[in-house]
Amino acid sequence: MMYAYCRVSTERQSLKRQTENISKAFPEIPGSAYYCDKFTGSTQDRPSWQKLLRKVNRGDTIVFDSVSRMSRDAESGAALYEQLYADGVTLIFLNEPQCNTEIYRKSAEESIPATGNEIADIYIEATNKVLMILARRQIAIAFEQAEKERLDICKRVKDGMRAAQIAAAERGEVKSY
């Protein structure tokens, strides 16, 4: 089964761009398979996301517009990615296709086969492990970037509110944010 997950952080934001992007790329996903939240990505405890996680099974696919829609927390996002990957769930990120789980599955399947030579096989096993470590790091970097974007947005909002408060005070208005 294919599912789509869309998320924005606030009630005022629209999910339309994400749903349109996904439906354009995957028109076969039925509307009933779209799970959407208007909730911060800094937590995994989002109503529709949790509902989807309870429903998804081995062999299913979840499509996202971006890695940041899955999580804005680097540690929990990377951990959940690895868990879903291990559970056989395919993850597709339209804006970061290098993070799609199929890339890592293919890499694991195409790992260098053992030769039967004890010394050579030690090197081959180590090389295969290094390839998977590099794959995990790439995923972690994607979620770290999503978290950094969230922190940058929070800082800009606070700076903007502080500037508005200072400007109001200079005009003799009393505003507290």
Side-chain angles (χ1 to χ4, degrees):
M1 178 73 182
M2 287 190 82
Y3 300 96
Y5 181 75
C6 303
R7 185 194 60 74
V8 292
S9 297
T10 69
E11 288 291 329
R12 295 181 311 243
Q13 293 174 300
S14 173
L15 294 158
K16 186 177 180 181
R17 179 189 55 79
Q18 292 176 55
T19 58
E20 286 178 351
N21 288 348
I22 293 171
S23 66
K24 183 178 177 184
F26 293 92
E28 66 273 23
I29 301 175
S32 61
Y34 277 72
Y35 288 77
C36 302
D37 280 311
K38 291 191 173 192
F39 210 90
T40 179
S42 63
T43 177
Q44 296 295 326
D45 192 22
R46 305 182 299 262
S48 291
W49 179 236
Q50 288 301 312
K51 202 178 293 184
L52 175 56
L53 289 177
R54 285 190 299 273
K55 188 169 191 146
V56 73
N57 295 304
R58 177 174 292 284
D60 288 345
T61 298
I62 306 173
V63 180
F64 304 84
D65 188 54
S66 174
V67 167
S68 66
R69 303 304 83 198
M70 182 175 161
S71 181
R72 287 267 197 193
D73 178 85
E75 187 175 329
S76 68
L80 183 58
Y81 180 102
E82 284 192 37
Q83 181 62 52
L84 290 168
Y85 175 86
D87 290 345
V89 176
T90 298
L91 303 175
I92 297 174
F93 303 96
L94 298 180
N95 291 322
E96 300 90 8
Q98 73 277 9
C99 295
N100 293 351
T101 53
E102 281 309 301
I103 290 176
Y104 301 107
R105 274 200 187 90
K106 285 180 184 175
S107 292
E109 290 168 4
E110 295 172 359
S111 62
I112 305 165
T115 64
N117 178 298
E118 184 180 5
I119 294 172
D121 286 349
I122 290 170
Y123 284 110
I124 289 169
E125 183 181 344
T127 300
N128 289 336
K129 285 182 180 179
V130 167
L131 292 174
M132 286 314 294
I133 289 168
L134 292 173
R136 283 189 191 105
R137 285 187 181 165
Q138 185 172 353
I139 295 307
I141 289 168
F143 284 107
E144 287 167 3
Q145 182 60 37
E147 182 175 354
K148 181 186 179 311
E149 289 171 3
R150 178 182 60 85
L151 295 172
D152 288 349
I153 290 167
C154 290
K155 183 182 181 318
R156 286 193 299 270
V157 167
K158 284 180 185 176
D159 290 350
M161 291 171 68
R162 189 174 303 114
Q165 190 174 20
I166 291 168
E170 288 173 351
R171 290 190 307 270
E173 301 171 12
V174 178
K175 288 190 178 180
S176 179
Y177 293 97

